[in-house]
Amino acid sequence: MVFSCLPSPVSCLLVRKLRVLALMHDYMVPPDDVSGFDLAAVEWKTEYDVLETLKDDLRHEVLVLPVKDELGGIRRAVTEFQPHIAFNLLEAFHEIGTFDQNLVAYLELLKLSYTGCNPRGMLLARDKALSKKLLHYHRIPVPDFFMVRVGQKVRLPRRMTFPVIVKSLTQEASIGISQASVVEDETKLKERVQFIHDSIGTDAVIEQFIDGRELYCGIVGNDRLQVFPVWEMSFSRMPERTHRIATEKVKWSPNYQKKVGISTDQAKDLPEGMSEKIQHLSKRVFRVLQLSGYARIDIRLDDQGRMYVLEANPNPQLAYGEDFAESAERIGVKYPQLIQKILTTGLRWKADRLG
């Protein structure tokens, strides 16, 4: 992960000027005056990076619309501003993560193009049990798993062995994942499932724990897909007996990242042909889950060279200098080009194609 500010404007990009409706959470709208802020560390970094790129680099006409818990503002903006497309930076609605797919469906009802994933792809990818069933049906390797609904008792099936990892069924961004998520016995399993039920408030999914390399693969497109280089999260100074997993702390605490030596970069020293296999597998996942726009596929590679798809992430972190943008830049797709490509991909998506 590289934390730095935006590059200078790229005047060589010749693009059609668009009216872009930028949808973002009301508490994530960057202030008009950003002097005095550390732009590499603000919580609205993604919103700032995308807005500045849309306006200053790509010269589009942008209307920022803060969204909280009502849809009327979107409808009015569509009527009055008449945008060509909505740049969707929302991750929830009514502060409920699973409602973001409904908001995108509303954009489709308004016949407004949008960036990112379609509602069906969001639904299929978010439900970790459902997505694993679909991938398994299509003979895409996933860790063995089972699900425990809120209120149900848990017992490890005979076909599975410890260690296992316990996750929220629907939460993203490693919410609820810590070192305690990897459990070695029935007592710890019950405790962790209860934690997910009580503290996160969702059903739990229990996966066979795959010890191995943490790999990611970014993709942009609808039918024709552009796959970015395989990216890897490295754990150089993790304490002994610590599982190398992307916990909530690993992903979102810069101080902890520095302390234990967390870094991400293009995967090196992979077996011959493995990068291509991972990229091909990632494209299969993208298509099976009916994703569109852009996504990141998370994969584990064990010491035997076996690949396991952990999950697919529609609309991943899009800030400048973060993994998705960095992997794109590694093959010559600069940040302004990436944002324009996401816009163009959204304009080409036909919402009624799945009908």
Side-chain angles (χ1 to χ4, degrees), residues 152-170:
Q152 284 184 337
K153 294 182 178 180
V154 56
R155 185 176 183 84
L156 195 71
R158 291 183 179 180
R159 70 177 189 275
M160 293 179 67
T161 57
F162 290 105
V164 295
I165 183 168
V166 183
K167 303 177 181 178
S168 163
L169 181 68
T170 56

Side-chain angles (χ1 to χ4, degrees), residues 226-229 266 279 325-334:
Q226 182 172 23
V227 187
F228 300 148
Q266 187 169 350
Q279 290 175 316
E326 285 287 285
S327 62
E329 187 157 351
R330 195 58 56 91
I331 56 171
V333 181
K334 302 296 184 183

Side-chain angles (χ1 to χ4, degrees), residues 182-194:
V182 181
V183 298
E184 305 274 358
D185 56 54
E186 291 281 356
T187 299
K188 293 295 184 183
L189 175 60
K190 292 176 183 177
E191 290 175 359
R192 196 62 192 178
V193 168
Q194 198 63 48

Side-chain angles (χ1 to χ4, degrees), residues 19-23 63-67 70-86 106-107 110 112:
R19 290 186 300 277
V20 181
L21 179 63
L23 302 176
L63 175 64
V64 176
L65 184 65
V67 177
E70 63 94 21
L71 297 171
I74 297 176
R75 190 178 187 94
R76 286 190 296 273
V78 170
T79 300
E80 297 169 6
F81 184 56
Q82 297 187 341
H84 295 101
I85 189 169
Y106 179 69
L107 298 178
L110 295 176
L112 176 63

Side-chain angles (χ1 to χ4, degrees), residues 37-323:
F37 287 96
D38 179 1
L39 296 179
V42 292
E43 61 177 347
W44 33 265
K45 182 182 188 310
T46 298
E47 287 75 7
Y48 176 79
D49 290 350
V50 170
L51 284 177
E52 292 301 297
T53 302
L54 288 172
K55 293 185 294 186
D56 294 347
D57 294 331
L58 301 173
R59 308 298 183 187
H60 294 308
E61 183 180 355
V62 181
L63 175 64
V64 176
L65 184 65
V67 177
K68 187 176 182 182
D69 56 8
E70 63 94 21
L71 297 171
I74 297 176
R75 190 178 187 94
R76 286 190 296 273
V78 170
T79 300
E80 297 169 6
F81 184 56
Q82 297 187 341
H84 295 101
I85 189 169
F87 204 110
N88 181 26
L89 292 168
L90 297 168
E91 297 180 345
F93 187 72
H94 273 295
E95 292 305 302
I96 299 174
T98 53
F99 281 8
D100 63 352
Q101 66 205 33
N102 302 327
L103 187 136
V104 173
Y106 179 69
L107 298 178
E108 293 188 345
L109 293 177
L110 295 176
K111 296 186 178 180
L112 176 63
S113 296
Y114 55 86
T115 63
C117 190
N118 69 82
R120 187 179 301 189
M122 285 180 163
L123 185 151
L124 296 179
R126 176 176 283 110
D127 186 322
K128 296 181 178 67
L130 178 58
S131 62
K132 284 177 171 56
K133 289 175 184 176
L134 283 169
L135 296 176
H136 178 70
Y137 175 82
H138 287 273
R139 299 183 180 181
I140 292 173
V142 296
D144 199 359
F145 71 97
F146 69 104
M147 183 176 63
V148 182
R149 300 282 188 191
V150 172
Q152 284 184 337
K153 294 182 178 180
V154 56
R155 185 176 183 84
L156 195 71
R158 291 183 179 180
R159 70 177 189 275
M160 293 179 67
T161 57
F162 290 105
V164 295
I165 183 168
V166 183
K167 303 177 181 178
S168 163
L169 181 68
T170 56
Q171 284 288 359
E172 300 173 330
S174 292
I175 292 174
I177 297 180
S178 69
Q179 287 294 317
S181 299
V182 181
V183 298
E184 305 274 358
D185 56 54
E186 291 281 356
T187 299
K188 293 295 184 183
L189 175 60
K190 292 176 183 177
E191 290 175 359
R192 196 62 192 178
V193 168
Q194 198 63 48
F195 169 82
I196 295 295
H197 289 173
D198 294 344
S199 299
I200 309 301
T202 70
D203 299 329
V205 62
I206 295 88
E207 297 175 2
Q208 192 72 58
F209 178 64
I210 306 297
D211 194 10
R213 298 173 70 171
E214 182 89 3
L215 304 175
Y216 310 115
C217 198
I219 300 177
V220 174
N222 297 322
D223 295 317
R224 298 179 62 183
L225 305 179
Q226 182 172 23
V227 187
F228 300 148
V230 179
W231 221 243
E232 181 170 14
M233 177 176 284
S234 301
F235 307 79
S236 63
R237 296 195 299 275
M238 293 287 278
E240 289 292 325
R241 294 188 171 183
T242 302
H243 299 290
R244 280 143 175 80
I245 58 176
T247 64
E248 193 170 355
K249 208 171 185 180
V250 163
K251 280 194 175 181
W252 304 113
S253 172
N255 290 335
Y256 185 73
Q257 291 167 4
K258 293 175 183 177
K259 177 182 176 182
V260 300
I262 304 297
S263 62
T264 59
D265 203 341
Q266 187 169 350
K268 299 178 177 63
D269 301 321
L270 289 172
E272 185 176 356
M274 183 59 69
S275 291
E276 292 78 10
K277 289 180 181 178
I278 292 171
Q279 290 175 316
H280 176 70
L281 181 67
S282 297
K283 288 197 290 186
R284 288 184 62 202
V285 172
F286 193 97
R287 291 184 170 121
V288 165
L289 297 181
Q290 300 183 35
L291 304 180
S292 60
Y294 62 105
R296 189 192 73 237
I297 312 301
D298 297 357
I299 292 171
R300 277 257 159 172
L301 183 68
D302 71 9
D303 57 6
Q304 301 299 311
R306 293 173 297 202
M307 300 177 292
Y308 295 88
V309 176
L310 300 184
E311 60 186 67
N313 296 275
N315 306 351
Q317 167 69 276
L318 202 54
Y320 174 76
E322 283 290 345
D323 296 338

